[in-house]
Coordinates of all heavy atoms in Angstrom, one line a residue:
M1174 N 96.9 131.6 122.5 CA 96.0 130.5 123.1 C 96.8 129.4 123.6 O 97.7 128.9 123.0 CB 95.1 130.0 121.9 CG 93.9 129.2 122.4 SD 93.2 128.2 121.1 CE 92.8 129.4 119.9
K1175 N 96.6 129.0 124.9 CA 97.3 127.7 125.4 C 96.8 126.6 124.6 O 95.6 126.4 124.3 CB 96.8 127.6 126.9 CG 97.5 128.6 127.8 CD 97.1 128.3 129.2 CE 97.3 129.5 130.1 NZ 96.4 129.4 131.2
E1176 N 97.7 125.6 124.5 CA 97.4 124.4 123.7 C 96.2 123.7 124.3 O 95.4 123.2 123.6 CB 98.6 123.5 123.6 CG 98.4 122.4 122.6 CD 99.5 121.4 122.6 OE1 100.5 121.6 123.3 OE2 99.4 120.4 121.8
A1177 N 96.1 123.7 125.6 CA 95.1 123.0 126.3 C 93.7 123.5 125.9 O 92.7 122.8 126.1 CB 95.2 123.1 127.8
N1178 N 93.7 124.7 125.4 CA 92.4 125.3 125.1 C 91.9 125.0 123.6 O 90.8 125.4 123.2 CB 92.4 126.8 125.3 CG 92.5 127.2 126.7 OD1 92.1 126.4 127.6 ND2 93.0 128.3 127.0
F1179 N 92.7 124.3 122.8 CA 92.4 124.3 121.4 C 91.1 123.5 121.1 O 90.5 123.7 120.1 CB 93.6 123.9 120.6 CG 93.9 122.4 120.4 CD1 93.3 121.7 119.4 CD2 94.7 121.8 121.3 CE1 93.6 120.4 119.2 CE2 95.0 120.5 121.2 CZ 94.5 119.7 120.2
K1180 N 90.8 122.6 122.0 CA 89.5 121.8 121.8 C 88.3 122.5 122.5 O 87.2 121.9 122.3 CB 89.7 120.4 122.3 CG 90.6 119.6 121.4 CD 90.8 118.1 121.9 CE 91.6 117.3 121.1 NZ 91.9 116.0 121.7
T1181 N 88.5 123.5 123.2 CA 87.4 124.1 123.9 C 87.0 125.5 123.3 O 85.9 125.8 123.3 CB 87.7 124.2 125.4 OG1 88.8 125.0 125.6 CG2 87.8 122.9 126.1
D1182 N 88.1 126.2 122.9 CA 87.8 127.5 122.2 C 87.1 127.3 120.9 O 87.5 126.4 120.1 CB 89.1 128.3 122.1 CG 89.6 128.8 123.5 OD1 88.9 128.7 124.5 OD2 90.6 129.5 123.5
F1183 N 86.3 128.2 120.6 CA 85.6 128.3 119.3 C 86.1 129.6 118.6 O 86.3 130.6 119.1 CB 84.1 128.3 119.4 CG 83.5 127.0 119.8 CD1 83.5 126.7 121.2 CD2 83.1 126.1 118.9 CE1 83.0 125.4 121.6 CE2 82.5 124.9 119.3 CZ 82.5 124.6 120.7
I1184 N 86.1 129.5 117.3 CA 86.2 130.7 116.4 C 84.9 130.9 115.7 O 84.3 129.9 115.3 CB 87.4 130.7 115.5 CG1 87.3 129.5 114.4 CG2 88.8 130.6 116.2 CD1 88.3 129.7 113.3
V1185 N 84.4 132.1 115.6 CA 83.3 132.5 115.0 C 83.6 133.3 113.7 O 84.3 134.3 113.7 CB 82.3 133.3 115.9 CG1 81.0 133.7 115.2 CG2 82.1 132.5 117.1
I1186 N 83.1 132.8 112.6 CA 83.3 133.5 111.3 C 82.0 133.9 110.7 O 81.1 133.0 110.4 CB 84.1 132.5 110.3 CG1 85.4 132.1 111.0 CG2 84.3 133.1 109.0 CD1 85.9 130.7 110.5
K1187 N 81.8 135.1 110.4 CA 80.5 135.6 109.8 C 80.9 136.1 108.4 O 81.8 137.0 108.2 CB 79.9 136.7 110.5 CG 78.7 137.2 109.9 CD 78.0 138.4 110.6 CE 76.8 138.9 109.8 NZ 76.1 140.0 110.5
A1188 N 80.2 135.5 107.4 CA 80.5 136.0 106.0 C 79.8 137.3 105.7 O 78.6 137.4 106.0 CB 80.0 134.9 105.0
L1189 N 80.5 138.2 105.1 CA 80.0 139.5 104.7 C 79.7 139.5 103.2 O 79.1 140.5 102.6 CB 81.0 140.6 105.0 CG 81.4 140.7 106.5 CD1 82.4 141.9 106.7 CD2 80.2 141.0 107.4
E1190 N 80.0 138.5 102.5 CA 79.7 138.4 101.0 C 79.4 136.9 100.7 O 79.7 136.0 101.5 CB 80.8 139.0 100.2 CG 82.1 138.2 100.3 CD 83.2 138.8 99.5 OE1 83.0 139.9 98.8 OE2 84.3 138.2 99.5
D1191 N 78.9 136.7 99.5 CA 78.7 135.3 99.1 C 80.0 134.7 98.6 O 80.9 135.4 98.3 CB 77.8 135.3 97.8 CG 76.3 135.5 98.1 OD1 75.9 135.6 99.3 OD2 75.5 135.8 97.2
G1192 N 80.2 133.4 98.8 CA 81.4 132.7 98.3 C 82.5 132.7 99.1 O 83.6 132.6 98.6
V1193 N 82.4 133.0 100.4 CA 83.5 132.9 101.3 C 84.0 131.5 101.5 O 83.1 130.6 101.6 CB 83.1 133.6 102.7 CG1 84.2 133.1 103.8 CG2 83.0 135.0 102.6
N1194 N 85.3 131.3 101.6 CA 85.8 129.9 101.8 C 86.5 129.9 103.1 O 87.4 130.7 103.4 CB 86.8 129.5 100.7 CG 86.1 129.2 99.4 OD1 85.3 128.3 99.4 ND2 86.5 129.8 98.3
V1195 N 86.1 128.9 103.9 CA 86.8 128.6 105.2 C 87.6 127.2 105.0 O 86.9 126.2 104.8 CB 85.8 128.5 106.4 CG1 86.6 128.2 107.7 CG2 85.1 129.8 106.5
I1196 N 88.9 127.3 105.0 CA 89.7 126.2 104.6 C 90.4 125.7 105.8 O 91.2 126.4 106.5 CB 90.7 126.5 103.5 CG1 89.9 127.2 102.3 CG2 91.6 125.4 103.1 CD1 90.8 127.9 101.4
G1197 N 90.2 124.3 106.2 CA 90.9 123.8 107.3 C 92.2 123.2 106.9 O 92.3 122.5 105.8
L1198 N 93.3 123.4 107.6 CA 94.6 122.9 107.3 C 95.0 121.8 108.3 O 94.7 122.0 109.5 CB 95.7 123.9 107.2 CG 95.5 124.8 106.0 CD1 94.9 126.2 106.4 CD2 96.7 125.0 105.1
T1199 N 95.7 120.8 107.9 CA 95.9 119.6 108.7 C 97.0 119.9 109.8 O 97.9 120.8 109.6 CB 96.5 118.4 108.0 OG1 97.6 118.8 107.2 CG2 95.3 117.9 107.0
R1200 N 96.9 119.3 111.0 CA 97.9 119.4 112.0 C 99.0 118.2 111.7 O 98.6 117.2 111.1 CB 97.3 119.1 113.4 CG 98.1 119.3 114.5 CD 97.4 119.1 115.9 NE 96.3 120.0 116.1 CZ 96.5 121.3 116.5 NH1 97.7 121.7 116.7 NH2 95.5 122.0 116.6
G1201 N 100.2 118.5 112.1 CA 101.3 117.6 112.0 C 102.3 117.9 110.9 O 102.4 119.1 110.5
T1202 N 103.1 117.0 110.5 CA 104.3 117.3 109.6 C 103.8 117.9 108.3 O 104.4 118.8 107.8 CB 105.0 116.0 109.3 OG1 105.1 115.2 110.6 CG2 106.4 116.2 108.8
D1203 N 102.8 117.3 107.7 CA 102.2 117.8 106.5 C 101.1 118.9 106.8 O 100.3 118.7 107.7 CB 101.5 116.7 105.6 CG 102.6 115.8 105.1 OD1 103.8 116.1 105.1 OD2 102.1 114.6 104.8
T1204 N 101.2 120.0 106.1 CA 100.2 121.0 106.2 C 99.4 121.1 104.9 O 99.9 121.7 103.9 CB 100.8 122.4 106.6 OG1 101.7 122.2 107.7 CG2 99.8 123.4 106.9
K1205 N 98.2 120.5 104.9 CA 97.5 120.4 103.7 C 96.0 120.8 103.9 O 95.5 120.7 105.1 CB 97.4 119.0 103.2 CG 98.8 118.5 102.8 CD 98.7 117.1 102.2 CE 100.1 116.7 101.6 NZ 100.1 115.2 101.3
F1206 N 95.4 121.2 102.9 CA 93.9 121.5 102.9 C 93.2 120.2 103.2 O 93.5 119.3 102.5 CB 93.4 122.1 101.6 CG 93.8 123.5 101.3 CD1 94.8 124.2 102.0 CD2 93.3 124.2 100.2 CE1 95.2 125.5 101.7 CE2 93.7 125.5 99.9 CZ 94.6 126.1 100.6
H1207 N 92.3 120.2 104.1 CA 91.5 118.9 104.3 C 90.0 119.2 104.2 O 89.3 118.3 104.0 CB 91.8 118.2 105.6 CG 91.4 118.9 106.8 ND1 90.1 119.0 107.2 CD2 92.1 119.6 107.8 CE1 90.0 119.8 108.3 NE2 91.2 120.1 108.7
H1208 N 89.6 120.4 104.2 CA 88.1 120.8 104.1 C 87.9 122.2 103.7 O 88.6 123.0 104.2 CB 87.5 120.5 105.5 CG 86.0 120.7 105.5 ND1 85.2 119.6 105.2 CD2 85.3 121.7 105.6 CE1 83.9 120.1 105.1 NE2 83.9 121.4 105.4
T1209 N 87.1 122.4 102.8 CA 86.7 123.7 102.4 C 85.2 123.9 102.6 O 84.4 123.1 102.1 CB 87.0 124.0 100.9 OG1 88.4 123.9 100.7 CG2 86.6 125.4 100.6
E1210 N 84.8 124.9 103.4 CA 83.4 125.1 103.8 C 83.1 126.5 103.0 O 83.8 127.4 103.2 CB 83.3 125.2 105.2 CG 81.8 125.2 105.7 CD 81.1 123.9 105.4 OE1 81.7 122.9 105.4 OE2 79.9 124.0 105.2
K1211 N 82.0 126.4 102.3 CA 81.6 127.6 101.6 C 80.5 128.3 102.3 O 79.5 127.7 102.7 CB 81.2 127.3 100.1 CG 82.3 126.9 99.4 CD 82.2 127.0 97.8 CE 83.5 126.7 97.2 NZ 83.5 126.1 95.9
L1212 N 80.7 129.7 102.6 CA 79.6 130.4 103.2 C 79.1 131.4 102.3 O 79.9 132.1 101.6 CB 80.2 131.1 104.5 CG 80.9 130.2 105.6 CD1 81.3 131.1 106.7 CD2 80.0 129.1 106.1
D1213 N 77.8 131.6 102.4 CA 77.2 132.8 101.7 C 77.0 134.0 102.7 O 77.1 133.8 103.9 CB 76.0 132.4 101.0 CG 76.2 131.6 99.7 OD1 77.3 131.8 99.1 OD2 75.4 130.8 99.3
K1214 N 76.6 135.1 102.1 CA 76.5 136.3 103.0 C 75.6 136.0 104.2 O 74.5 135.4 104.0 CB 75.9 137.5 102.1 CG 75.9 138.8 102.8 CD 75.4 139.8 101.8 CE 75.5 141.3 102.3 NZ 75.2 141.5 103.7
D1215 N 76.0 136.5 105.3 CA 75.4 136.4 106.6 C 75.4 135.0 107.2 O 74.8 134.8 108.3 CB 74.0 137.0 106.6 CG 73.9 138.5 106.2 OD1 75.0 139.1 106.6 OD2 73.0 139.0 105.6
E1216 N 76.0 134.0 106.5 CA 76.1 132.7 107.1 C 77.2 132.8 108.1 O 78.2 133.5 108.0 CB 76.3 131.6 106.1 CG 75.1 131.3 105.3 CD 75.4 130.1 104.4 OE1 76.4 129.9 103.8 OE2 74.4 129.3 104.4
I1217 N 77.1 132.0 109.3 CA 78.1 132.0 110.3 C 78.6 130.6 110.5 O 77.8 129.6 110.5 CB 77.4 132.5 111.6 CG1 77.2 134.0 111.5 CG2 78.3 132.3 112.8 CD1 76.4 134.6 112.7
M1218 N 79.9 130.5 110.6 CA 80.5 129.1 110.9 C 81.1 129.3 112.3 O 81.9 130.3 112.6 CB 81.5 128.7 109.9 CG 82.2 127.4 110.2 SD 83.0 126.8 108.7 CE 83.8 125.3 109.4
I1219 N 80.8 128.3 113.2 CA 81.5 128.2 114.5 C 82.3 127.0 114.5 O 81.9 125.9 114.2 CB 80.4 128.2 115.6 CG1 79.4 129.4 115.5 CG2 81.0 128.2 117.0 CD1 78.2 129.3 116.4
A1220 N 83.6 127.2 114.7 CA 84.5 126.1 114.5 C 85.6 126.0 115.6 O 85.8 127.0 116.3 CB 85.2 126.1 113.2
Q1221 N 86.2 124.8 115.8 CA 87.3 124.7 116.7 C 88.5 124.2 116.1 O 88.5 123.7 114.9 CB 86.9 123.6 117.7 CG 85.8 124.0 118.7 CD 85.4 122.8 119.6 OE1 84.9 121.8 119.1 NE2 85.6 122.9 120.9
F1222 N 89.7 124.4 116.7 CA 90.9 123.7 116.3 C 90.9 122.4 117.0 O 90.4 122.3 118.1 CB 92.1 124.6 116.6 CG 92.2 125.9 115.9 CD1 91.7 127.0 116.4 CD2 92.7 125.8 114.6 CE1 91.8 128.2 115.6 CE2 92.8 126.9 113.8 CZ 92.4 128.2 114.4
T1223 N 91.3 121.4 116.3 CA 91.2 120.0 116.7 C 92.5 119.3 116.5 O 93.4 119.8 116.0 CB 90.1 119.2 115.9 OG1 90.5 119.1 114.6 CG2 88.7 120.0 115.9
E1224 N 92.5 118.0 116.8 CA 93.7 117.1 116.5 C 94.0 117.0 115.0 O 95.0 116.7 114.6 CB 93.6 115.8 117.2 CG 92.5 114.9 116.7 CD 91.2 115.0 117.6 OE1 90.8 116.1 117.9 OE2 90.7 113.9 118.0
H1225 N 92.9 117.3 114.2 CA 93.0 117.2 112.8 C 93.3 118.6 112.1 O 93.8 118.7 111.0 CB 91.8 116.7 112.1 CG 91.4 115.3 112.6 ND1 92.2 114.2 112.5 CD2 90.3 114.9 113.4 CE1 91.6 113.2 113.1 NE2 90.5 113.6 113.6
T1226 N 92.9 119.7 112.8 CA 93.0 121.0 112.2 C 93.9 122.0 113.1 O 93.5 122.2 114.2 CB 91.5 121.6 112.2 OG1 90.7 120.7 111.4 CG2 91.5 123.0 111.5
S1227 N 94.9 122.4 112.5 CA 95.8 123.3 113.2 C 95.7 124.7 112.8 O 96.2 125.6 113.5 CB 97.2 122.9 113.2 OG 97.7 123.0 111.8
A1228 N 95.2 125.0 111.6 CA 95.1 126.3 111.0 C 93.9 126.4 110.1 O 93.4 125.4 109.5 CB 96.4 126.6 110.2
V1229 N 93.4 127.7 110.0 CA 92.3 127.9 109.1 C 92.6 129.1 108.2 O 93.2 130.1 108.7 CB 91.1 128.2 110.0 CG1 89.9 128.7 109.1 CG2 90.6 127.1 110.8
K1230 N 92.4 128.9 106.9 CA 92.6 130.0 106.0 C 91.2 130.5 105.5 O 90.4 129.7 105.2 CB 93.5 129.5 104.8 CG 93.6 130.5 103.7 CD 94.6 129.9 102.7 CE 94.7 130.7 101.5 NZ 95.8 130.3 100.6
I1231 N 91.0 131.8 105.5 CA 89.8 132.3 105.2 C 89.9 133.2 103.9 O 90.7 134.2 104.0 CB 89.2 133.1 106.4 CG1 89.0 132.1 107.5 CG2 87.8 133.8 106.0 CD1 88.7 132.7 108.8
R1232 N 89.1 132.9 102.9 CA 89.1 133.7 101.6 C 87.8 134.4 101.6 O 86.8 133.8 101.6 CB 89.3 132.9 100.5 CG 90.7 132.4 100.2 CD 90.8 131.9 98.8 NE 92.1 131.3 98.6 CZ 92.4 130.1 98.1 NH1 91.4 129.3 97.7 NH2 93.6 129.7 97.9
G1233 N 87.8 135.7 101.5 CA 86.6 136.5 101.3 C 86.4 137.4 102.5 O 87.1 137.2 103.5
K1234 N 85.4 138.2 102.3 CA 85.2 139.2 103.4 C 84.4 138.6 104.5 O 83.3 138.1 104.4 CB 84.4 140.4 102.8 CG 85.3 141.2 101.8 CD 84.5 142.4 101.2 CE 85.5 143.1 100.2 NZ 84.8 144.2 99.5
T1235 N 84.9 138.8 105.7 CA 84.3 138.2 106.9 C 84.6 139.0 108.1 O 85.5 139.9 108.1 CB 84.9 136.7 107.2 OG1 86.3 136.9 107.4 CG2 84.6 135.8 106.2
V1236 N 83.8 138.8 109.2 CA 84.2 139.1 110.5 C 84.5 138.0 111.3 O 83.7 137.0 111.2 CB 83.1 140.0 111.2 CG1 83.4 140.4 112.6 CG2 82.8 141.3 110.4
I1237 N 85.6 138.0 112.0 CA 86.2 136.8 112.8 C 86.3 137.1 114.2 O 86.9 138.1 114.6 CB 87.5 136.3 112.2 CG1 87.4 136.1 110.7 CG2 88.0 135.1 112.9 CD1 88.7 136.2 109.9
Q1238 N 85.7 136.3 115.1 CA 85.9 136.4 116.5 C 86.7 135.2 117.1 O 86.4 134.1 116.8 CB 84.7 136.5 117.3 CG 83.9 137.8 117.1 CD 82.5 137.8 117.8 OE1 82.1 136.7 118.2 NE2 82.0 139.0 118.1
T1239 N 87.8 135.6 117.8 CA 88.6 134.5 118.4 C 88.9 135.0 119.9 O 88.6 136.1 120.2 CB 89.9 134.2 117.7 OG1 90.8 135.2 118.0 CG2 89.8 134.0 116.2
S1240 N 89.6 134.1 120.6 CA 90.0 134.5 121.9 C 91.1 135.6 121.9 O 91.3 136.3 122.8 CB 90.6 133.4 122.7 OG 91.7 132.8 122.0
N1241 N 91.6 135.9 120.6 CA 92.6 137.0 120.4 C 91.8 138.3 120.1 O 92.5 139.3 120.0 CB 93.5 136.7 119.3 CG 94.4 135.5 119.7 OD1 95.0 135.4 120.7 ND2 94.4 134.5 118.8
G1242 N 90.6 138.2 119.9 CA 89.8 139.4 119.6 C 89.0 139.3 118.4 O 88.9 138.2 117.8
E1243 N 88.4 140.4 117.9 CA 87.7 140.4 116.7 C 88.4 141.1 115.6 O 89.1 142.2 115.9 CB 86.3 141.2 117.0 CG 85.4 141.2 115.7 CD 84.0 141.8 116.0 OE1 83.3 141.2 116.9 OE2 83.6 142.7 115.3
M1244 N 88.3 140.6 114.4 CA 89.0 141.2 113.3 C 88.2 141.0 112.0 O 87.3 140.1 112.0 CB 90.4 140.6 113.1 CG 90.5 139.2 112.8 SD 91.8 138.3 113.6 CE 91.1 137.9 115.2
S1245 N 88.5 141.8 111.1 CA 87.8 141.7 109.8 C 88.8 141.7 108.7 O 89.8 142.5 108.8 CB 86.8 142.8 109.6 OG 86.2 142.7 108.3
N1246 N 88.7 141.0 107.6 CA 89.6 141.1 106.5 C 88.9 141.9 105.4 O 89.3 141.9 104.3 CB 90.0 139.7 106.0 CG 88.9 138.8 105.7 OD1 87.7 139.2 105.8 ND2 89.1 137.5 105.4
E1247 N 87.8 142.6 105.7 CA 87.2 143.6 104.9 C 88.1 144.8 104.8 O 88.7 145.1 105.8 CB 85.8 144.0 105.4 CG 85.0 144.7 104.3 CD 83.7 145.1 104.9 OE1 83.6 145.4 106.2 OE2 82.7 145.2 104.3
N1248 N 88.1 145.5 103.7 CA 89.0 146.6 103.5 C 88.6 147.7 104.5 O 87.5 148.0 104.8 CB 88.9 147.3 102.1 CG 89.5 146.4 101.1 OD1 90.4 145.7 101.4 ND2 88.9 146.4 99.9
Ligands
LIG197 N1 86.8 117.1 110.7 C1 87.4 118.4 111.0 C2 88.2 118.3 112.4 O1 87.7 117.6 113.3 C3 86.3 119.5 111.1 C4 86.9 120.9 111.4 C5 87.1 121.3 112.6 C6 87.1 121.8 110.5 N2 87.5 122.6 112.6 C7 87.6 123.0 111.4 C8 87.1 122.1 109.1 C9 87.9 124.2 110.8 C10 87.5 123.3 108.6 C11 87.8 124.4 109.4 O2 89.3 118.9 112.5

């Protein structure tokens, strides 16, 4: 993804089970958790990378769509 697109592109995360965690990590020298969003089965989160968020860690079974394609962390 080009840097210029990080405020326009969205990632779509669909939870396949209850209790999925979508964790935002800070941009800059320190890489820390700054937000945890909990999703239950079939809930969808649509999110962007921002000046505050450089990475997202996802715990739990989901389907994820990004500009890099669709992937699942389900077995
Ligand atoms: N306040 C956060 C931000 O602007 C909100 C956010 C954006 C976020 N993208 C995220 C939180 C991804 C968790 C995961 O950066």
Side-chain angles (χ1 to χ4, degrees):
M1174 193 198 303
K1175 286 183 202 157
E1176 194 186 355
N1178 292 336
F1179 82 92
K1180 286 183 180 169
T1181 56
D1182 285 357
F1183 288 83
I1184 62 171
V1185 179
I1186 302 153
K1187 180 181 175 183
L1189 301 181
E1190 64 180 2
D1191 288 349
V1193 165
N1194 284 305
V1195 179
I1196 302 160
L1198 292 106
T1199 55
R1200 188 177 296 281
T1202 317
D1203 292 340
T1204 307
K1205 295 185 174 168
F1206 289 9
H1207 68 72
H1208 184 88
T1209 300
E1210 191 66 30
K1211 294 203 168 145
L1212 304 182
D1213 284 333
K1214 189 175 189 316
D1215 296 331
E1216 286 188 318
I1217 291 173
M1218 182 167 173
I1219 303 168
Q1221 288 174 298
F1222 291 96
T1223 69
E1224 61 266 53
H1225 305 296
T1226 305
S1227 66
V1229 174
K1230 175 171 171 172
I1231 297 166
R1232 284 196 182 127
K1234 292 179 183 176
T1235 58
V1236 176
I1237 304 155
Q1238 289 179 338
T1239 74
S1240 56
N1241 297 308
E1243 180 173 305
M1244 64 219 85
S1245 179
N1246 53 4
E1247 193 182 30
N1248 292 328

